[in-house]
Amino acid sequence: MGSLQLFLIVSLSWVLFLPNTHQLQTSQIQILLQIRKHLEYPSSLEVMDAFDGDLCNVSPSRDMTIACQDNVVTELRIMGDKLVKFRGFNGFPIPNQTLSERFSMDSFVTTLSRLSSLRVLSLISLGIWGPLPDKIHRLSSLEFLDLSSNFIYGQIPSRISTMVQLYSLVLDGNFFNETVPDWLDSLTNLTFLSLKSNRLTGQFPSSLCKIRTLADVSLSHNEISGELPDLSALTNLHVLDMRENKLNSVLPVMSKGLVTLLLSKNALSGEIPKHFSQMDQLQHLDLSSNQLTGSPPPFLFNLPNITYLNLASNMMSGSLQNPLSCSTKLGYVDISNNKLTGTLPTCLSSSSDKRMVRFGGNCFASDLQHQHEASFCAEALLGSGKSRRKQKLLIVAFICGAIIVIVLLALGLIYLYRRLFKRTVQEQPVPPKVIQENSPAAAPSELLANARFISQALKLGAQTVPVCRSFSFQELREATKDFDRSMLLGEGSIGKLYRGKLENGTLVAIRCLALSKKFSVQNLKVRLDVLSKLHHPHLVGLFGHCIEGDGHDNSSINQVLLVYEYVSNGNYRTLLSETYPDKVLKWSDRLTILIGIAKAIHFLHTGVIPGSFNNRLKTNNILLDEHQIPKLSDYGTLMITDETEKHETKGEGSKPRKKLVEDDVYNFGYILLESLVGPIVTGREETFLLNDMASFGSTDGRRRIVDPVVLTTSSQESLSRVISITKKCISTDISSRPSFEDVLWNLQYAAQVQASVDAEQKSDSTS
């Protein structure tokens, strides 16, 4: 009888529990179906009609991703097909470009806010139109928000300032037309901010200078005016893009860690300041189409990492230092359309095949076909001086004229008063004559018209960044002493790696990539072109390639040589096993390296189309340069191996892509694991997982397996956070593995916790 009662109790509990579980899943599905209805059934969501199972299990694709955790949606990405932009948008729906007039932004956001556990929301090119309501702040768990390429207008809602979990805010390609908000410093975790291609006005928000986590700020193609403030406090800032605005200040103090600085097509003036010489990480500098003066400082050409330098279409004058020293990494220089004189330095000679140099439209004493006469630059400078003097004279004349008019009016009033006082009213006073002066605006308006014409002409001559260069096989033979064994750095499953020294003295690493099948040169060039576009501060730079063979497009080859920058300070795996006190990596150092590599992997997955997956993630593929900056090597090789071909020819759709993303998460989990316990002997990974992973759950177990350096330099909360995300990454249940956004967020959180603890300990020790 007791057994029967127990059975009835268990059965009743199961029946009562089942509706609750089912209801939770059903409510989330209903919300997703309502969102599809609001968006007027875009083609990217057609998979929802054909899928019978749980929508959380739909394979992610470029057009749609739904990720869930604990039966609730945590990530929603939808890419629409309304890509054509209509810049004349005036707030009303446009057929075939926006959603219909039935669309209600307020109702849509209300429905979205019911997905209260969302951490990632990306709705791109869906034709969404209308002002963004304040209630968007109800998505308080959001960490990543991207509403790019829609038709959203008005102001950016101030209640977004309460969404303190946000680390990425992207609103590119909309019609926001108020000032850039000055409450952004409330978003204390903000790392990526992009508001490009809107109609934003006002000044650069000073609040941005208080967000120490900022790494990437893009406000280009707006109407932001005024001064650019001192940005030196933003020590984590790597990218600043303010192209095509109306900034009219001198160049301020910049963050020394900047990698990319884009300020072209503004009205910046003055000389390039000396503190730019301290920007050792700078790779890409564009100051073209401004009003900069003075001579280009010689240090700009020799910054240690500079690859792209554009100073075209300014008012620079004088001559370049000669001889001039140029960085070996400098591949593109544009100093055209200035007022430069003298001779062109040897390192900028157009005959060099190592870099592209544009210097036309100056007064150099060479290449006379594309240069003005020396008198042109002298007259232009003299003319600008005369113009300034003329403007001053006009101002003085205007002031004098105004004084004369005031005096005449005063005399006229005195005369009128006297006439009235003497009661001689028979004779009416003659009103004072108004003096009409010629408007001084005629000449400037003509100059402005000419300036607009020149600006349009300059657009026709704009040049893009040069592509990765092609090396000859003979060059690489000489660089490696005919691939001598003494130059061999290592050998792996994808081919041998050699150290080399190019003719100009640049040290390189050359990967001889062996292909398991033959490819046509044309096919291979397409793949290499995609690979060459992967640029990130934490990726080993790809200088170029060499396709071994006769070079004809109809030929077939099975080997390609990739030429990378040489990173000299060893690999992460070696440093993890280092026992010398001055080289041991404490916990905060390891977190810094892991976050840098996680950012690079996240960029490879989401920052380029198509994404690069299965990137050979291992601790010995993480290299450190002389500044301890981590860089990932051997990424993207899947693009040019037979595995890519297999996935393409089998036509397996998004399934291989999902597996590849999971592979990167899983492999990065092993990197996290080795960061915790030290290098694991090759071949013993599975044994470690079976026997030792459970030890992370107890304090005694951690003391037994965690690296003593980690134990003594980490806080309990920071360490526990990384252990938790590590377990998820290497979980045998693929569906429970986290997204890479999750991994990156957890690492950044762990680093912030550790930094706070370290600061408190330092404060206690000094007090």
Side-chain angles (χ1 to χ4, degrees), residues 146-160:
D146 188 347
L147 301 177
S148 299
S149 301
N150 285 294
F151 293 80
I152 307 173
Y153 58 88
Q155 68 176 1
I156 299 172
S158 60
R159 296 299 294 274
I160 288 181

Side-chain angles (χ1 to χ4, degrees), residues 416-426:
L416 178 61
Y417 172 77
R418 286 178 177 177
R419 294 289 297 267
L420 289 172
F421 183 75
K422 293 178 180 180
R423 298 179 182 274
T424 56
V425 293
Q426 296 87 354

Side-chain angles (χ1 to χ4, degrees), residues 75 99 126 267 347 585-586 606 609 705:
E75 178 177 348
L99 297 173
L126 289 163
C347 74
L585 291 175
K586 60 183 181 179
T606 63
I609 298 175
I705 64 171

Side-chain angles (χ1 to χ4, degrees), residues 56 146 182 189 323 355 364 570:
C56 294
D146 188 347
D182 205 30
N189 292 309
R355 62 177 58 95
F364 287 118

